[in-house]
Amino acid sequence: ADTTPLARGLPVPQGISKSAFLAAIEELRSTLGADHVVLNDQTITNGWYMEHPNTHDIMSLFDTEEFIASAVVYPGSVTDVQSIVKWANKHLIPIFPISIGRNLGYGGSAPRVRGSVTVDLGRRMNRILDINVDDFTCLVEPGVTFYALYEEIQRRGLGDKVWIDTPDLGGGSVIGNTLERGVGYTPYGDHWMCHSGLEVVLPSVGDDGKVPVMRTGMGALGTGGENVWQCFPYGYGPHNDGIFSQSNFGIVTKMGMTLMPNPGGYESYAYTFPNESDYAPLIDIIRPLRIANILENVAQLRQGLQTLTVEGRPRTAYYNGSGPIPDAVVREHQRKTPTGECAWVYYGMAYGPPHVRAHKLAIIDAEFKRIPGCRKIDPASMPEDDYYWSRDHIASGTPDLEELRWVNWMPNGAHICFSPVSPTRGADAEKLYAMAKRWHTEQGLDLMMAFLVGMREMHLIIEIVFDVTDKEMKKRAEKCLRGMIDEAASLGYGEYRTHLALMDQVAGTYNWNDNALMKFNNQLKDAIDPNGILAPGRCGIWPARYRNRGWEL
Ligand code: ADP
């Protein structure tokens, strides 16, 4: 971790004087305890994934001090969270909740508005409140990571019974990732779909002077849901959970999650495909198999270069030229890898005892081999440290960190994602792939991508890996991202999630019928958070106090 003095000094939020801000901080210290309120007025420290800072984005596309917190507070209870909301409303100070803050590629722990006070929920509110092996559910606080949940299940000796679903990197918060509508790779990979019940602290103060806490679904029952909260997500009346995901309408303090029964066996498999053009017919083969659940998990179709990047070595170990790394160079190096030469690799997993798997695996094998040159990888040929086993861990619900390897591709490696959604159809994939390739070539960037097949849709995940100290390269990355967002929108595709820096632009592409959706979101925002204190600008939603005053990027 490198530490440097803050170049721009204490980032006091706009609209309040430094002395008034410092006085407000003292007041908050007396409420929460001095140890639990830390001013960000001295230095800036960049760690890596496991020792990430909670004040800013270590992978910033702009100046690091642009999206930065003025202070970090550590609530220890729901009551503390309510106190913080009350305090923020009194002083009109923007607050920004994070659970763990490892949302790398999408902004890390950084707030959207410079000088926001970050509410780091995870540090002290990190209890696993319930693991229920009869209903296969759990109830967690914001600080529970995928690793922590996994380890607690093993510690209690329940690993034989119950699995979790983990994203590519297991160090994030179950709540944080789910609220961002992140995905994992078991049949329970759609985290948002698998959650059941939220407890939310709302961002304004009621007429009675209290900050409301509400529960959704069955948790709204007078009992607080008790034994049924995690069994049925909908409850009665409008299903409000959706407005608390990818938004700035509330602070989630508890969430229920469904867990997967141990399927009684599993087997990962991978297939390679020789030609660049193979992905389109392959995706058309994948679609009916995925929808019919023959392909059982959120599987990845990764492009050839990714078999090199996951070796964790710098780009210069393969190529020293400028512009995107040529295909011939990729193939030459691939020949020396266990995966071998290919344009695409598909990683999947079959679940259940051997006889259950065999049926599905036979269908998959026959269908995939309709693509000429398709080759099944023999798992026995894969060395222990090969990335193949990382996918094996993740698809069987074991958290892992190997996905970080490709960040080493660049010195001072950072990454930012472009993640458009399309139907699982070859023709759509072709349009997005051609577009992405053109933009990357124009900007001299390596195209690093994978299609993640959800079900009827695919997330195309492109990772632009850049040198965080290279301003010129960051400009090119931004140009490429912004160009792709607009062009994808004109072709009829939109992102499922985006980085802080791009939220306004992406929100702007969801503008059907004279921005009806954003108008509705704005209406909600102003009703729920009239002072506009909670995460202003997140997901492109600006409260009235900020709207159309030059904050949009
Ligand atoms: P990760 O789980 O990847 O570490 P974060 O904690 O960074 O994720 O959360 C991702 C984003 O989701 C945050 O930037 C924040 O905007 C939002 N978020 C996270 N936790 C909460 C929460 N408990 N309540 C409301 N929003 C949250």
Side-chain angles (χ1 to χ4, degrees):
D2 60 318
T3 300
T4 49
L6 279 175
R8 295 162 69 179
L10 173 69
V12 178
Q14 201 167 304
I16 182 170
S17 71
K18 184 170 176 180
S19 58
F21 177 70
L22 292 175
I25 287 289
E26 282 314 312
E27 185 189 311
L28 191 60
R29 282 193 168 133
S30 68
T31 313
L32 296 187
D35 291 350
H36 305 314
V37 182
V38 178
L39 215 52
N40 185 26
D41 61 346
Q42 300 290 332
T43 54
I44 186 158
T45 301
N46 289 317
W48 70 296
Y49 184 77
M50 289 311 284
E51 289 137 17
H52 66 292
N54 55 10
T55 45
H56 63 282
D57 183 7
I58 54 173
M59 300 188 166
S60 182
L61 195 58
F62 304 144
D63 172 39
T64 313
E65 291 180 42
E66 199 47 50
F67 296 142
I68 192 169
S70 54
V72 183
V73 302
Y74 300 99
S77 64
V78 174
T79 311
D80 280 355
V81 176
Q82 290 171 286
S83 303
I84 295 164
V85 167
K86 200 164 182 174
W87 169 86
N89 273 282
K90 178 177 166 195
H91 299 285
L92 298 180
I93 291 172
I95 57 174
F96 191 91
I98 59 170
S99 285
I100 294 288
R102 292 201 181 109
N103 195 23
L104 296 175
Y106 296 107
S109 53
R112 174 63 178 82
V113 162
R114 179 176 150 83
S116 299
V117 170
T118 292
V119 184
D120 185 333
L121 295 147
R123 179 81 57 100
R124 296 169 69 208
M125 297 173 73
N126 54 17
R127 288 175 303 167
I128 297 169
L129 299 167
D130 188 33
I131 296 174
N132 183 324
V133 290
D134 296 320
D135 301 331
F136 292 93
T137 59
C138 65
L139 182 67
V140 295
E141 291 189 329
V144 177
T145 62
F146 293 94
Y147 266 108
L149 185 58
Y150 175 82
E151 280 161 12
E152 180 61 15
I153 287 171
Q154 310 314 310
R155 198 189 63 78
R156 293 191 197 176
L158 300 173
D160 278 355
K161 278 201 152 166
V162 57
W163 279 17
I164 68 159
D165 184 280
T166 174
D168 291 288
L169 296 170
S173 144
V174 177
I175 288 184
N177 182 276
T178 304
L179 292 179
E180 274 281 273
R181 300 201 290 262
V183 302
Y185 299 90
T186 74
Y188 281 48
D190 182 343
H191 293 164
W192 184 249
M193 186 176 84
C194 290
H195 96 281
S196 185
L198 301 175
E199 181 185 86
V200 191
V201 173
L202 296 173
S204 67
V205 186
D207 294 338
D208 57 359
K210 288 188 188 146
V211 172
V213 185
M214 90 178 199
R215 289 185 176 182
T216 66
M218 302 307 280
L221 282 173
T223 57
E226 302 249 310
N227 64 348
V228 68
W229 195 13
Q230 273 64 68
C231 296
F232 183 64
Y234 306 130
Y236 178 76
H239 183 47
N240 292 305
D241 291 46
I243 66 165
F244 298 109
S245 74
Q246 291 195 3
S247 73
N248 46 16
F249 296 152
I251 302 175
V252 175
T253 47
K254 292 181 185 66
M255 185 183 76
M257 197 78 184
T258 52
L259 298 170
M260 178 170 153
N262 182 333
Y266 62 93
E267 181 173 347
S268 57
Y269 54 88
Y271 286 85
T272 65
F273 302 87
N275 302 310
E276 190 185 355
S277 59
D278 288 340
Y279 70 98
L282 177 60
I283 284 167
D284 286 326
I285 289 173
I286 288 171
R287 183 183 57 256
L289 297 178
R290 180 72 185 106
I291 295 173
N293 210 31
I294 303 291
L295 296 168
E296 296 170 84
N297 66 332
V298 175
Q300 287 209 358
L301 179 62
R302 293 167 78 101
Q303 133 259 37
L305 174 60
Q306 299 278 57
T307 63
L308 298 183
T309 60
V310 294
E311 293 191 317
R313 295 196 289 160
R315 178 185 206 261
T316 48
Y318 307 93
Y319 185 63
N320 266 313
S322 60
I325 182 169
D327 191 43
V329 176
V330 173
R331 287 177 181 265
E332 179 197 319
H333 288 287
Q334 276 184 322
R335 277 180 227 126
K336 296 172 228 153
T337 68
T339 307
E341 189 183 331
C342 65
W344 301 93
V345 199
Y346 182 99
Y347 294 97
M349 183 173 276
Y351 299 89
H355 65 282
V356 173
R357 301 197 301 262
H359 174 63
K360 293 187 175 183
L361 287 169
I363 298 174
I364 294 163
D365 196 68
E367 287 294 309
F368 280 15
K369 287 190 172 152
R370 285 165 51 200
I371 306 284
C374 164
R375 180 168 56 84
K376 185 170 187 186
I377 288 180
D378 174 10
S381 73
M382 287 286 136
E384 223 173 273
D385 63 347
D386 194 89
Y387 177 76
Y388 179 91
W389 298 112
S390 171
R391 293 253 61 92
D392 180 79
H393 293 155
I394 291 166
S396 56
T398 307
D400 191 295
L401 293 176
E402 300 303 323
E403 194 69 29
L404 279 171
R405 290 184 195 180
W406 47 252
V407 179
N408 295 337
W409 191 246
M410 284 288 156
N412 311 301
H415 65 105
I416 183 164
C417 313
F418 170 65
S419 329
V421 167
S422 77
T424 307
R425 286 197 292 249
D428 294 284
E430 275 175 333
K431 285 189 217 166
L432 284 172
Y433 181 66
M435 176 199 84
K437 214 173 150 176
R438 178 164 35 78
W439 275 102
H440 280 70
T441 306
E442 275 170 24
Q443 298 307 322
L445 299 164
D446 292 321
L447 175 59
M448 293 169 53
M449 54 164 277
F451 290 109
L452 274 56
V453 183
M455 182 69 80
R456 290 165 178 82
E457 61 73 41
M458 299 188 296
H459 293 17
L460 165 60
I461 305 290
I462 294 180
E463 297 282 2
I464 298 187
V465 178
F466 58 93
D467 177 344
V468 78
T469 64
D470 184 341
K471 286 194 179 131
E472 187 272 336
M473 190 176 191
K474 294 210 275 192
K475 281 252 150 36
R476 283 187 283 133
E478 188 185 354
K479 224 172 171 177
C480 183
L481 288 159
R482 293 208 182 275
M484 292 193 296
I485 291 168
D486 280 346
E487 189 173 332
S490 73
L491 295 170
Y493 308 104
E495 286 67 59
Y496 95 102
R497 179 181 182 185
T498 199
H499 188 277
L500 286 176
L502 305 168
M503 285 177 170
D504 294 310
Q505 189 188 357
V506 168
T509 64
Y510 285 84
N511 59 355
W512 183 76
N513 198 15
D514 197 18
N515 287 302
L517 179 64
M518 187 50 81
K519 284 178 183 168
F520 178 69
N521 286 337
N522 286 342
Q523 235 178 331
L524 282 178
K525 182 66 178 166
D526 293 341
I528 297 171
D529 180 12
N531 289 325
I533 53 103
L534 187 63
R538 179 162 150 73
C539 294
I541 304 164
W542 292 97
R545 215 152 62 82
Y546 293 74
R547 202 174 298 143
N548 303 324
R549 286 179 166 79
W551 286 90
E552 293 86 355
L553 284 173

